[in-house]
Amino acid sequence: MTKEDKAKLIISELKRLFPKTKIALNYSDPIELFVAVVLSAQTTDKQVNVVTADLFKKYRTIENYIKTPLSEFEQDIKRIGLYRAKAKNIKATVEIIDKDYGGKVPDSMEKLIELPGVGRKTANVLLYNIYGKQEGIAVDTHVRRLSNLFGLSSNQDPNKIEKDLMEVVPRNEWGEFTYRMIDYGRAYCPARCKHTDCPLRKFII
């Protein structure tokens, strides 16, 4: 069986298990999504949603982020890991978005990855959820682990894993593939799973 055939079978099973899927982060506009995605690095989506529940009540516009002193913003997100670096990146990026893009999140991979704190994973999430663009596959910890487990990639670097996946996953599936893999990891196959009850255990190499 080729990796392409295997990927299609895995996707079919994931669709059966999770007919509907979406990003787990809560947000109501593109700027909120950007903030939530940056905060989610090396932190659980659940914890991010707890913090942003209060944060988004205070920061309702891009101007709120720009005008708030960095030290104050740091305190507002200090329950998040790496909050100082994230605060600095968010503040710097919203200023660029406001000044250079009229307050709108850029709609291309090239422009997004130039922003502070934005790599391909974040850019892929923003492009798909804001603009419906499938430029690549967002590789988080679940996607990385399961891609290795299923033999879809032997790499550990997220960018190399993304490249491997883009070669075997049909492009029209790129956006939702990430979220179904995350759903599967959370519901059936966590990090220390023994795979005795995993619906997709037949695909494990």
Side-chain angles (χ1 to χ4, degrees):
M1 184 188 301
T2 66
K3 285 186 179 180
E4 289 90 341
D5 290 337
K6 190 175 191 179
K8 289 178 181 178
L9 290 173
I10 289 171
I11 290 168
S12 178
E13 286 295 301
L14 288 173
K15 284 184 172 182
R16 180 182 64 81
L17 293 168
F18 308 101
K20 294 182 179 181
T21 189
K22 66 175 184 176
I23 191 169
L25 296 170
N26 297 329
Y27 68 98
S28 61
D29 61 51
I31 295 297
E32 287 188 356
L33 176 60
F34 161 71
V35 171
V37 176
V38 172
L39 292 179
S40 71
Q42 299 183 49
T43 305
T44 65
D45 291 345
K46 183 177 180 180
Q47 178 62 16
V48 173
N49 287 337
V50 169
V51 171
T52 56
D54 295 326
L55 191 73
F56 293 159
K57 291 177 184 177
K58 178 177 179 180
Y59 297 83
R60 296 184 179 277
T61 66
I62 193 169
E63 288 78 15
N64 294 147
Y65 291 98
I66 294 171
K67 292 179 179 178
T68 300
L70 178 60
S71 58
E72 182 179 339
F73 186 55
E74 286 178 349
Q75 291 304 304
D76 290 334
I77 65 169
K78 69 180 300 182
R79 289 177 289 172
I80 295 289
L82 307 174
Y83 71 92
R84 285 194 175 90
K86 292 176 181 178
K88 183 179 179 181
N89 286 333
I90 288 170
K91 286 276 290 175
T93 292
V94 294
E95 290 179 8
I96 294 170
I97 289 174
D98 183 61
K99 180 181 178 182
D100 297 345
Y101 300 104
K104 294 185 177 181
V105 175
D107 63 355
S108 75
M109 176 66 71
E110 293 73 22
K111 292 176 181 177
L112 283 168
I113 60 176
E114 291 177 350
L115 299 173
V118 177
R120 284 194 61 90
K121 174 193 164 188
T122 297
N124 278 321
V125 171
L126 296 174
L127 287 172
Y128 180 65
N129 287 281
I130 298 173
Y131 299 108
K133 292 185 174 183
Q134 302 185 89
E135 296 296 322
I137 297 173
V139 178
D140 81 328
T141 55
H142 289 286
V143 176
R144 180 176 62 184
R145 179 172 55 81
L146 293 174
S147 295
N148 289 161
L149 189 68
F150 296 144
L152 299 180
S153 175
S154 59
N155 287 300
Q156 296 301 314
D157 177 78
N159 289 335
K160 291 181 180 179
I161 292 172
E162 180 189 8
K163 184 178 180 181
D164 290 340
L165 292 175
M166 289 167 67
E167 292 177 354
V168 299
V169 174
R171 182 162 188 154
N172 65 323
E173 302 285 357
W174 287 0
E176 292 189 344
F177 178 77
T178 292
Y179 302 119
R180 288 196 170 94
M181 290 279 269
I182 292 171
D183 289 340
Y184 183 77
R186 287 174 175 162
Y188 297 105
C189 194
R192 293 182 176 83
C193 184
K194 296 181 179 179
H195 313 303
T196 53
D197 298 312
C198 291
L200 303 185
R201 61 185 177 277
K202 64 185 177 183
F203 297 112
I204 295 173
I205 59 172

